[in-house]
Amino acid sequence: MKSDLLIEIGVEEIPASYLKPAAEEFCKKLISLFHERNIPCNGYEVFFTPRRIAVLCMNVADHENVTTKKVFGPPAEMAFNGEGKPTAAATGFAKSFSKNPKDLKIGIRKEKKVCYLELQEKPEQTKRIIQTELASIIQSLCFPKKMKWEKTGFMFARPIRWLVVLYGKNVIKLSIAGVKSSKVSFAPRFKGSKSFSIQTSSSYETTLEKHSIIASYKKRKEMIARGIKKKIGSKQFVIDDTKLLDEVTNLVEYPTVFKGKFDKQFLALPQDVLVTAMREHQRYFAVLSKKNMKIEPVYIGVSNSLDENIGEIANNNNHVLRARLNDAKFYWDEDLKSPFAESIDKLKGIEWHKGLGTVYDKTMRLVALSDHLFDFIRKGNRGHIARGALLSKVDLVSNMIKDGKEFTTLEGIIGREYALQSKEEEAVANIISEHYLPRFPNDRMPITIESAIVGVADRIDTLIGNFLLGEIPTGSSDPFGLRRCANGLLRVLDKFALRFSFQELAMKSISLYSAQKSISEHVKSAEVLKRLKAFLSTRITSYLSLQGIRYDIPDAVLVVHFDNIYESLSRIKALDEESFEKDFDKLIIGQRRVSNILKGISVKHKDIDASLFDCSDEENLWKNCIKTEKIFSQAMNQKDYKSALKALLALRPSIDNFFDNCLVMTEDEQRRNNRIAILFKVKAVFDSYANFSIIVIEGEK
């Protein structure tokens, strides 16, 4: 027999960000249990709201499928006598499993004939399996934080208040965290949390809808999208904010969209301040005019209620938003009472990182390091870079960032606004906001080269400082966001083609820390750089993997060329493209042969003596190597990595013919050393691009 299985976990309100991952994990673990226990199931559906996580599994069998297992007994020659009749050993073996000797079969095990029995395992009921396994599955669900609330010590994101476990129309009786399973669920709080019964598992979604609960995340999201479209006029649009839409969808059980408004006087505030005030605390959607792309004195909100009292709800929200905007206006007005640059010294009162000084110290290092980086890049306006770096952190002491909890996300953005109000040049103001970009994956990038230079210097300073203290990310632990910092560094380097010596810039950074006496004079710079290089190499591999480049290609390049990171990225991309050529694997095999022969050999004969050639392919390889080196060097000097690789690939036939027709390890010592010297020369040319011998070819792991 088959029926639908419903499991609903009723809880106190779970944070919006917890819901979807937990619901999907719950479903995955249930389906995994069915697979492990051989219980047929024909599909599933996941539901979640702030007060419930539910999974509906369709057409679940009421028991495990019957399985047969082989139980091996004594060897065949011991189980049957010469007349083919069972011996005492065979009879005893069969009897121990309540079987007759005639049920015995002969099979092969470990190359020997043995007797065995085929036994059908008694299938366990699905009901019993759920009763046994459900509690451990629920407790194993991952959440950023868990809590205990009752005497058994059960842990979950929020207290469990009810539990529905239905197989068809029958309750599977069990108890978890002191809560007994039943058919009873509960309505939303705006309906008084009244109880109601779910008669059958298959009627779950429709039953909840009758009690003002939209259990489907997708349906709630669609309702909100339709509601927004209906509320805004044809001349308006809502700022596209997928993250906010996802969050709001998981804050409600029955979404009702409303349109609120605020006083026009607040339009004098920067648009980012208005959007943040609405978004961060109230979860409102800002509305813009299609005509001038400016914010309108209205907003869109989503209420967890029916539309019966939506007018009153909108008015109440208007009052709440007014209070928030009054706070923002107060911060703004207070911050504008003094020029932006006058607050630089206040940064001395903010510790940037324990053991690494204040934000003022970091700012002074950033000014010097940005200037040093400019000497490499020689692009952009040096004066703008210096001024932008100097003012880059000043907004941290502003009232808006320091006191306005919901406005901390405006770091850099509000600094730009304050700088413009203080008559700083727009190019300088842009550096203040853009040098933080990108803040996260898929974030927008800085626009100007000046912002990119300051952003790179800022990230190098952060990485060096943390590595000087030994605070290196391990496993999943990265409390200071250094992986994110490195990822942003790579994206900026790549976009702006920033060429500089990482070694020199890093050493400059260490010297700046040392000059401020932020670190010990006895710090081992070489060890710090070695660890940072290993860390960044891993990040480069990860960064490029998102572009479809497999791990071994970056490894091959970075082992011989790392210092100019942008050049390394360019080499890797060109090598990856070349790796799809039909003869590329043969080239790798040839380089492995070269490396294997030269392993453990020191160069005894550096100069090639052409008079010792007695194999035409030996002479051919040498001549083509000299020719290839010239073409290769010209291409490398022009940063034409594709042509450089084409030149190396063209040398492959000469290498293959040399190995096929010339004996390298000949007994003639002079000729042997001469041929070894040729191979060292070939290897040196290839190694100046990458260590080709460690590249994985098709079929290898």
Side-chain angles (χ1 to χ4, degrees), residues 381-401:
N381 185 299
R382 190 170 208 153
H384 290 163
I385 290 170
R387 187 67 175 172
L390 182 66
L391 300 178
S392 62
K393 310 298 179 185
V394 175
D395 62 355
L396 294 178
V397 294
S398 68
N399 290 289
M400 189 76 74
I401 300 298

PDB file of all heavy atoms in Angstrom, residues 381-401:
ATOM      1  N   ASN A 381      45.304  59.786 -11.489  1.00  0.00           N
ATOM      2  CA  ASN A 381      45.758  61.064 -10.944  1.00  0.00           C
ATOM      3  C   ASN A 381      46.358  60.834  -9.559  1.00  0.00           C
ATOM      4  O   ASN A 381      45.655  60.442  -8.629  1.00  0.00           O
ATOM      5  CB  ASN A 381      44.575  62.035 -10.865  1.00  0.00           C
ATOM      6  CG  ASN A 381      44.977  63.415 -10.413  1.00  0.00           C
ATOM      7  OD1 ASN A 381      45.489  63.593  -9.314  1.00  0.00           O
ATOM      8  ND2 ASN A 381      44.726  64.401 -11.264  1.00  0.00           N
ATOM      9  N   ARG A 382      47.644  61.086  -9.425  1.00  0.00           N
ATOM     10  CA  ARG A 382      48.344  60.807  -8.168  1.00  0.00           C
ATOM     11  C   ARG A 382      47.758  61.609  -7.003  1.00  0.00           C
ATOM     12  O   ARG A 382      47.598  61.093  -5.890  1.00  0.00           O
ATOM     13  CB  ARG A 382      49.828  61.123  -8.331  1.00  0.00           C
ATOM     14  CG  ARG A 382      50.682  60.639  -7.174  1.00  0.00           C
ATOM     15  CD  ARG A 382      52.158  60.749  -7.489  1.00  0.00           C
ATOM     16  NE  ARG A 382      52.940  59.763  -6.758  1.00  0.00           N
ATOM     17  CZ  ARG A 382      54.094  59.270  -7.168  1.00  0.00           C
ATOM     18  NH1 ARG A 382      54.603  59.655  -8.337  1.00  0.00           N
ATOM     19  NH2 ARG A 382      54.742  58.379  -6.442  1.00  0.00           N
ATOM     20  N   GLY A 383      47.428  62.863  -7.260  1.00  0.00           N
ATOM     21  CA  GLY A 383      46.863  63.704  -6.206  1.00  0.00           C
ATOM     22  C   GLY A 383      45.514  63.207  -5.731  1.00  0.00           C
ATOM     23  O   GLY A 383      45.227  63.194  -4.527  1.00  0.00           O
ATOM     24  N   HIS A 384      44.675  62.777  -6.673  1.00  0.00           N
ATOM     25  CA  HIS A 384      43.365  62.244  -6.302  1.00  0.00           C
ATOM     26  C   HIS A 384      43.515  60.963  -5.481  1.00  0.00           C
ATOM     27  O   HIS A 384      42.764  60.734  -4.521  1.00  0.00           O
ATOM     28  CB  HIS A 384      42.541  61.954  -7.561  1.00  0.00           C
ATOM     29  CG  HIS A 384      42.098  63.195  -8.273  1.00  0.00           C
ATOM     30  ND1 HIS A 384      41.654  63.183  -9.576  1.00  0.00           N
ATOM     31  CD2 HIS A 384      42.041  64.489  -7.860  1.00  0.00           C
ATOM     32  CE1 HIS A 384      41.326  64.413  -9.944  1.00  0.00           C
ATOM     33  NE2 HIS A 384      41.561  65.227  -8.916  1.00  0.00           N
ATOM     34  N   ILE A 385      44.476  60.136  -5.863  1.00  0.00           N
ATOM     35  CA  ILE A 385      44.713  58.887  -5.134  1.00  0.00           C
ATOM     36  C   ILE A 385      45.121  59.183  -3.696  1.00  0.00           C
ATOM     37  O   ILE A 385      44.598  58.580  -2.745  1.00  0.00           O
ATOM     38  CB  ILE A 385      45.791  58.045  -5.844  1.00  0.00           C
ATOM     39  CG1 ILE A 385      45.241  57.498  -7.166  1.00  0.00           C
ATOM     40  CG2 ILE A 385      46.270  56.899  -4.952  1.00  0.00           C
ATOM     41  CD1 ILE A 385      46.284  56.849  -8.055  1.00  0.00           C
ATOM     42  N   ALA A 386      46.035  60.125  -3.513  1.00  0.00           N
ATOM     43  CA  ALA A 386      46.509  60.464  -2.171  1.00  0.00           C
ATOM     44  C   ALA A 386      45.378  61.026  -1.311  1.00  0.00           C
ATOM     45  O   ALA A 386      45.208  60.640  -0.149  1.00  0.00           O
ATOM     46  CB  ALA A 386      47.655  61.471  -2.264  1.00  0.00           C
ATOM     47  N   ARG A 387      44.581  61.932  -1.896  1.00  0.00           N
ATOM     48  CA  ARG A 387      43.491  62.551  -1.139  1.00  0.00           C
ATOM     49  C   ARG A 387      42.385  61.535  -0.843  1.00  0.00           C
ATOM     50  O   ARG A 387      41.842  61.492   0.269  1.00  0.00           O
ATOM     51  CB  ARG A 387      42.917  63.729  -1.936  1.00  0.00           C
ATOM     52  CG  ARG A 387      41.873  64.566  -1.194  1.00  0.00           C
ATOM     53  CD  ARG A 387      42.482  65.309  -0.040  1.00  0.00           C
ATOM     54  NE  ARG A 387      41.500  66.201   0.595  1.00  0.00           N
ATOM     55  CZ  ARG A 387      41.712  66.864   1.718  1.00  0.00           C
ATOM     56  NH1 ARG A 387      42.881  66.747   2.344  1.00  0.00           N
ATOM     57  NH2 ARG A 387      40.779  67.648   2.237  1.00  0.00           N
ATOM     58  N   GLY A 388      42.068  60.714  -1.823  1.00  0.00           N
ATOM     59  CA  GLY A 388      41.031  59.699  -1.623  1.00  0.00           C
ATOM     60  C   GLY A 388      41.416  58.705  -0.550  1.00  0.00           C
ATOM     61  O   GLY A 388      40.592  58.311   0.283  1.00  0.00           O
ATOM     62  N   ALA A 389      42.686  58.279  -0.546  1.00  0.00           N
ATOM     63  CA  ALA A 389      43.161  57.345   0.477  1.00  0.00           C
ATOM     64  C   ALA A 389      43.101  57.987   1.860  1.00  0.00           C
ATOM     65  O   ALA A 389      42.725  57.349   2.849  1.00  0.00           O
ATOM     66  CB  ALA A 389      44.585  56.903   0.159  1.00  0.00           C
ATOM     67  N   LEU A 390      43.453  59.276   1.933  1.00  0.00           N
ATOM     68  CA  LEU A 390      43.453  59.983   3.213  1.00  0.00           C
ATOM     69  C   LEU A 390      42.050  60.088   3.807  1.00  0.00           C
ATOM     70  O   LEU A 390      41.864  59.973   5.024  1.00  0.00           O
ATOM     71  CB  LEU A 390      44.040  61.387   3.022  1.00  0.00           C
ATOM     72  CG  LEU A 390      44.163  62.253   4.281  1.00  0.00           C
ATOM     73  CD1 LEU A 390      45.177  61.651   5.252  1.00  0.00           C
ATOM     74  CD2 LEU A 390      44.560  63.680   3.909  1.00  0.00           C
ATOM     75  N   LEU A 391      41.049  60.282   2.950  1.00  0.00           N
ATOM     76  CA  LEU A 391      39.670  60.472   3.429  1.00  0.00           C
ATOM     77  C   LEU A 391      38.847  59.186   3.414  1.00  0.00           C
ATOM     78  O   LEU A 391      37.672  59.198   3.789  1.00  0.00           O
ATOM     79  CB  LEU A 391      38.965  61.522   2.556  1.00  0.00           C
ATOM     80  CG  LEU A 391      39.591  62.924   2.521  1.00  0.00           C
ATOM     81  CD1 LEU A 391      38.803  63.828   1.585  1.00  0.00           C
ATOM     82  CD2 LEU A 391      39.640  63.529   3.923  1.00  0.00           C
ATOM     83  N   SER A 392      39.449  58.085   3.010  1.00  0.00           N
ATOM     84  CA  SER A 392      38.691  56.859   2.736  1.00  0.00           C
ATOM     85  C   SER A 392      37.960  56.284   3.941  1.00  0.00           C
ATOM     86  O   SER A 392      36.938  55.620   3.789  1.00  0.00           O
ATOM     87  CB  SER A 392      39.621  55.793   2.146  1.00  0.00           C
ATOM     88  OG  SER A 392      40.636  55.448   3.081  1.00  0.00           O
ATOM     89  N   LYS A 393      38.471  56.515   5.150  1.00  0.00           N
ATOM     90  CA  LYS A 393      37.870  55.904   6.343  1.00  0.00           C
ATOM     91  C   LYS A 393      37.212  56.921   7.275  1.00  0.00           C
ATOM     92  O   LYS A 393      36.721  56.549   8.347  1.00  0.00           O
ATOM     93  CB  LYS A 393      38.943  55.135   7.135  1.00  0.00           C
ATOM     94  CG  LYS A 393      39.793  54.179   6.313  1.00  0.00           C
ATOM     95  CD  LYS A 393      38.988  53.074   5.677  1.00  0.00           C
ATOM     96  CE  LYS A 393      39.882  52.149   4.854  1.00  0.00           C
ATOM     97  NZ  LYS A 393      39.109  51.123   4.128  1.00  0.00           N
ATOM     98  N   VAL A 394      37.185  58.194   6.881  1.00  0.00           N
ATOM     99  CA  VAL A 394      36.702  59.244   7.783  1.00  0.00           C
ATOM    100  C   VAL A 394      35.233  59.059   8.155  1.00  0.00           C
ATOM    101  O   VAL A 394      34.813  59.400   9.263  1.00  0.00           O
ATOM    102  CB  VAL A 394      36.937  60.642   7.158  1.00  0.00           C
ATOM    103  CG1 VAL A 394      36.324  61.734   8.026  1.00  0.00           C
ATOM    104  CG2 VAL A 394      38.429  60.891   6.993  1.00  0.00           C
ATOM    105  N   ASP A 395      34.432  58.491   7.253  1.00  0.00           N
ATOM    106  CA  ASP A 395      33.003  58.356   7.577  1.00  0.00           C
ATOM    107  C   ASP A 395      32.749  57.384   8.729  1.00  0.00           C
ATOM    108  O   ASP A 395      31.642  57.330   9.271  1.00  0.00           O
ATOM    109  CB  ASP A 395      32.189  57.964   6.341  1.00  0.00           C
ATOM    110  CG  ASP A 395      32.584  56.627   5.747  1.00  0.00           C
ATOM    111  OD1 ASP A 395      33.560  56.022   6.225  1.00  0.00           O
ATOM    112  OD2 ASP A 395      31.924  56.187   4.782  1.00  0.00           O
ATOM    113  N   LEU A 396      33.776  56.631   9.134  1.00  0.00           N
ATOM    114  CA  LEU A 396      33.600  55.710  10.265  1.00  0.00           C
ATOM    115  C   LEU A 396      33.343  56.453  11.573  1.00  0.00           C
ATOM    116  O   LEU A 396      32.794  55.879  12.519  1.00  0.00           O
ATOM    117  CB  LEU A 396      34.834  54.810  10.418  1.00  0.00           C
ATOM    118  CG  LEU A 396      35.099  53.816   9.282  1.00  0.00           C
ATOM    119  CD1 LEU A 396      36.377  53.033   9.554  1.00  0.00           C
ATOM    120  CD2 LEU A 396      33.927  52.861   9.117  1.00  0.00           C
ATOM    121  N   VAL A 397      33.751  57.721  11.646  1.00  0.00           N
ATOM    122  CA  VAL A 397      33.510  58.500  12.867  1.00  0.00           C
ATOM    123  C   VAL A 397      32.300  59.416  12.715  1.00  0.00           C
ATOM    124  O   VAL A 397      32.010  60.216  13.606  1.00  0.00           O
ATOM    125  CB  VAL A 397      34.757  59.330  13.258  1.00  0.00           C
ATOM    126  CG1 VAL A 397      35.898  58.417  13.642  1.00  0.00           C
ATOM    127  CG2 VAL A 397      35.178  60.275  12.136  1.00  0.00           C
ATOM    128  N   SER A 398      31.587  59.303  11.600  1.00  0.00           N
ATOM    129  CA  SER A 398      30.381  60.119  11.412  1.00  0.00           C
ATOM    130  C   SER A 398      29.252  59.578  12.275  1.00  0.00           C
ATOM    131  O   SER A 398      29.236  58.403  12.649  1.00  0.00           O
ATOM    132  CB  SER A 398      29.957  60.111   9.941  1.00  0.00           C
ATOM    133  OG  SER A 398      29.498  58.823   9.560  1.00  0.00           O
ATOM    134  N   ASN A 399      28.309  60.429  12.608  1.00  0.00           N
ATOM    135  CA  ASN A 399      27.152  59.999  13.396  1.00  0.00           C
ATOM    136  C   ASN A 399      26.335  58.956  12.643  1.00  0.00           C
ATOM    137  O   ASN A 399      25.787  58.033  13.238  1.00  0.00           O
ATOM    138  CB  ASN A 399      26.268  61.210  13.724  1.00  0.00           C
ATOM    139  CG  ASN A 399      26.921  62.146  14.716  1.00  0.00           C
ATOM    140  OD1 ASN A 399      27.051  61.833  15.894  1.00  0.00           O
ATOM    141  ND2 ASN A 399      27.360  63.307  14.239  1.00  0.00           N
ATOM    142  N   MET A 400      26.270  59.105  11.330  1.00  0.00           N
ATOM    143  CA  MET A 400      25.464  58.195  10.513  1.00  0.00           C
ATOM    144  C   MET A 400      25.962  56.756  10.632  1.00  0.00           C
ATOM    145  O   MET A 400      25.163  55.821  10.767  1.00  0.00           O
ATOM    146  CB  MET A 400      25.507  58.633   9.047  1.00  0.00           C
ATOM    147  CG  MET A 400      24.537  57.898   8.143  1.00  0.00           C
ATOM    148  SD  MET A 400      22.826  58.446   8.335  1.00  0.00           S
ATOM    149  CE  MET A 400      22.865  60.033   7.499  1.00  0.00           C
ATOM    150  N   ILE A 401      27.273  56.559  10.602  1.00  0.00           N
ATOM    151  CA  ILE A 401      27.837  55.207  10.670  1.00  0.00           C
ATOM    152  C   ILE A 401      28.059  54.780  12.117  1.00  0.00           C
ATOM    153  O   ILE A 401      27.759  53.650  12.506  1.00  0.00           O
ATOM    154  CB  ILE A 401      29.173  55.134   9.899  1.00  0.00           C
ATOM    155  CG1 ILE A 401      28.971  55.498   8.427  1.00  0.00           C
ATOM    156  CG2 ILE A 401      29.787  53.742  10.026  1.00  0.00           C
ATOM    157  CD1 ILE A 401      28.054  54.587   7.666  1.00  0.00           C
TER     158      ILE A 401
END
